Every structure is written in structure tokens, then in C-alpha cells.
């Protein structure tokens, strides 16, 4: 690639990547950090909310309605609402992304818990499992496919939405995107966009691999013989086949 591509302001410019490695690395690491923190905090909040909605049916509809309303708030408006309360800081971006992730995570976790076969619960009760033990050792493991599906969707969505934080200079690769657009710096805009796409793809593949490791029954499902009658109820509730994931939500609009 010619070294004159920077002066010519070309879209594809290897000299830009070589000369701005430190800047690109810092922006990428900030992007990853914001994404991991947002999804992690969102998961820590969504899990107890899903357990609460599963145990108390009347709480399910209000919780789902509240998170859905939050999801419909435009990203720019959400940042504008949070800045007066939290100031211009990375916490504004993380808080906004956590609120957006709750809808996806809560719906998928709750769908996974709801899809656990009732005969599995009855079998667990017959073996003396209490509510907490059943939740931790039976229901939660069997809902892992749906939970992981929600985490994957939330992660990919968060990788994309993190760029909006560039408005307040806490958007990781979004900082480069906004500054590149302001100055019509083509190589910077394209490079930051490509890295963002790569991050989303890599994150999804890593989480898919983690799901594969955590759900061995899904790998062996095709090799299991078809069972009928009394054999359909597993001897141990934890051996039951896990339910499939919930239907993912549409992407969040900026």
C-alpha cells in the first residue's frame, strides 16, 4: 500500500493502521471493556429478576413491560437523560447499555426457565429437591441454552451500541468513528468500523463455543436413542434435555 494513501485520504490505507496502532489498540480495549462490563452487570441484574418473575407470576408482566419500555428509548435520548445524573463519564455509557441489555437477557432467561419440562420438576420434588436446590441444580442448568442465546444477542448488540458513547468521548471505537466522520477521515472511519464488526463476530463465536462446552447434552442429543413411555422421564432431573433458546429480539435502533 502506498504511503501516500493518508495524504490522498483513501478508504483503505495500511499506513494509517501502522501509524495509529496505539490509538487503535486503546480504542479497541476501551470498547471491549465497556461491552464486557455492560453485559456482565446486565446479567447479574437479569438473573434475580428472572428468578423473581418465575416464582411470582404477577411480577413477570410488569418487569417485562418496564424493560421493553427502556429498550424503546433512543440511544441518544438515553444518554441525554443519564448525563445530568451521572455526569459525563464512562458510567453513563455502561448504565445505558445495561438498561438496554435487560430486555434481551430477562426474556431469554425467563423463557429458558419456563421451558423446563414439568415432569423434570416433579421428578426433582420426588427426590427431595427444595426450591433453591431445584433452581440451582436443575432449572438453571437446563435453561443454559436460552440464557447463552440471550447473552450472545446482548453482547453483539452492545458491541454495536457502544459506539454511540463516542458522543461523550467514551465510546471505544465510536470515538474514532465520530472524529473520523467530523473530519471526513475515510481510513479512520473504515478501520474503526471493520474492527467493530470483527469484535462482534469474535465475541459471538467465543460465546457459542462456551455454550457448546456448557451444554454437553446438546452435543450428544442426536446420538441418543428415542425413548417412549416411562423412559421419557430421566432418573436424575439434571439429565433432562435442555430447552431451546427464546426467540431473539430485533436489533436496537440508535
Amino acid at each position: 500500500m502506498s504511503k501516500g494513501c493518508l495524504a490522498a485520504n483513501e478508504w483503505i490505507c495500511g499506513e494509517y493502521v501502522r501509524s495509529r496502532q496505539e490509538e487503535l489498540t486503546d480504542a479497541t480495549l476501551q470498547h471491549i471493556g465497556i461491552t464486557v462490563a455492560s453485559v456482565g452487570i446486565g446479567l447479574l441484574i437479569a438473573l434475580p429478576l428472572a428468578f423473581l418473575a418465575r416464582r411470582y407470576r404477577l411480577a413477570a408482566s410488569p418487569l417485562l413491560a418496564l424493560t421493553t419500555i427502556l429498550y424503546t428509548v433512543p440511544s441518544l435520548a438515553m444518554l441525554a437523560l443519564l448525563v445530568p445524573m451521572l455526569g459525563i463519564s464512562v458510567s453513563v455509557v455502561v448504565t445505558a447499555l445495561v438498561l438496554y441489555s435487560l430486555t434481551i437477557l430477562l426474556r431469554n432467561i425467563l423463557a429458558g426457565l419456563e421451558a423446563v419440562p414439568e415432569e423434570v420438576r416433579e421428578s426433582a420434588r420426588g427426590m427431595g429437591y427444595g426450591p433453591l436446590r431445584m433452581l440451582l441444580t436443575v432449572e438453571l442448568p437446563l435453561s443454559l441454552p436460552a440464557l447463552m442465546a440471550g447473552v450472545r444477542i446482548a453482547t453483539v448488540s452492545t458491541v454495536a451500541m457502544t459506539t454511540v458513547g463516542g458522543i461523550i468521548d467514551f465510546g471505544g471505537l465510536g470515538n474514532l468513528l465520530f472524529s473520523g466522520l467530523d473530519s471526513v477521515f475515510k481510513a479512520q472511519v473504515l478501520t474503526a468500523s471493520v474492527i467493530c464488526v470483527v469484535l462482534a463476530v469474535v465475541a459471538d463465536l467465543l460465546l457459542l463455543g462456551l455454550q457448546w462446552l456448557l451444554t454437553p447434552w446438546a452435543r450428544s442429543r442426536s446420538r441418543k436413542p428415542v425413548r417412549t413411555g416411562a423412559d421419557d422421564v430421566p432418573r436424575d432431573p439434571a439429565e433432562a434435555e435442555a430447552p431451546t433458546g427464546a426467540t431473539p429480539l430485533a436489533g436496537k435502533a440508535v
Side-chain angles (χ1 to χ4, degrees):
M1 179 64 63
S2 172
K3 292 187 177 181
C5 62
L6 278 175
N9 194 24
E10 297 177 1
W11 285 103
I12 301 176
C13 184
E15 182 60 23
Y16 167 77
V17 177
R18 288 190 292 271
S19 62
R20 306 291 182 91
Q21 286 185 4
E22 184 176 353
E23 183 181 30
L24 290 170
T25 300
D26 290 343
T28 302
L29 290 177
Q30 185 186 72
H31 205 104
I32 294 173
I34 292 174
T35 300
V36 172
S38 301
V39 177
I41 295 173
L43 187 59
L44 290 177
I45 297 175
L47 277 170
L49 288 180
F51 298 156
L52 178 67
R54 175 70 180 84
R55 183 172 180 82
Y56 303 102
R57 301 287 184 172
L58 292 177
S61 294
L63 286 174
L64 291 174
L66 177 60
T67 56
T68 300
I69 291 173
L70 291 173
Y71 194 81
T72 61
V73 178
S75 304
L76 300 182
M78 181 69 79
L79 293 178
L81 292 171
L82 292 174
V83 165
M85 294 183 287
L86 302 175
I88 298 179
S89 64
V90 69
S91 60
V92 172
V93 182
V94 172
T95 301
L97 296 175
V98 167
L99 294 176
Y100 285 136
S101 70
L102 285 179
T103 302
I104 301 170
L105 294 172
L106 180 59
R107 286 182 179 275
N108 278 268
I109 296 171
L110 188 57
L113 293 173
E114 294 283 357
V116 175
E118 186 58 35
E119 61 267 22
V120 175
R121 295 191 178 94
E122 291 297 331
S123 177
R125 294 188 189 98
M127 296 174 64
Y129 282 43
L132 181 60
R133 184 184 178 191
M134 183 186 302
L135 174 64
L136 296 178
T137 63
V138 178
E139 294 181 320
L140 188 57
L142 293 181
S143 65
L144 270 178
L147 187 154
M148 290 302 300
V151 172
R152 289 172 58 197
I153 298 167
T155 300
V156 172
S157 177
T158 301
V159 169
M161 288 192 292
T162 297
T163 57
V164 180
I167 295 175
I168 59 173
D169 204 29
F170 289 100
L173 295 166
N175 298 345
L176 300 182
L177 281 172
F178 278 92
S179 63
L181 289 172
D182 287 340
S183 59
V184 197
F185 194 170
K186 296 178 181 178
Q188 181 165 298
V189 172
L190 181 62
T191 303
S193 300
V194 170
I195 295 176
C196 190
V197 172
V198 171
L199 282 180
V201 173
V202 171
D204 188 54
L205 291 176
L206 289 175
L207 289 171
L208 183 62
L210 179 61
Q211 178 179 338
W212 186 82
L213 291 174
L214 294 176
T215 55
W217 57 85
R219 303 197 299 270
S220 60
R221 181 167 52 193
S222 59
R223 299 194 298 269
K224 290 181 180 179
V226 177
R227 296 178 299 182
T228 59
D231 290 338
D232 288 338
V233 181
R235 296 175 183 175
D236 190 322
E239 294 177 359
E241 181 180 308
T244 56
T247 302
L249 294 172
K252 174 77 177 91
V254 175

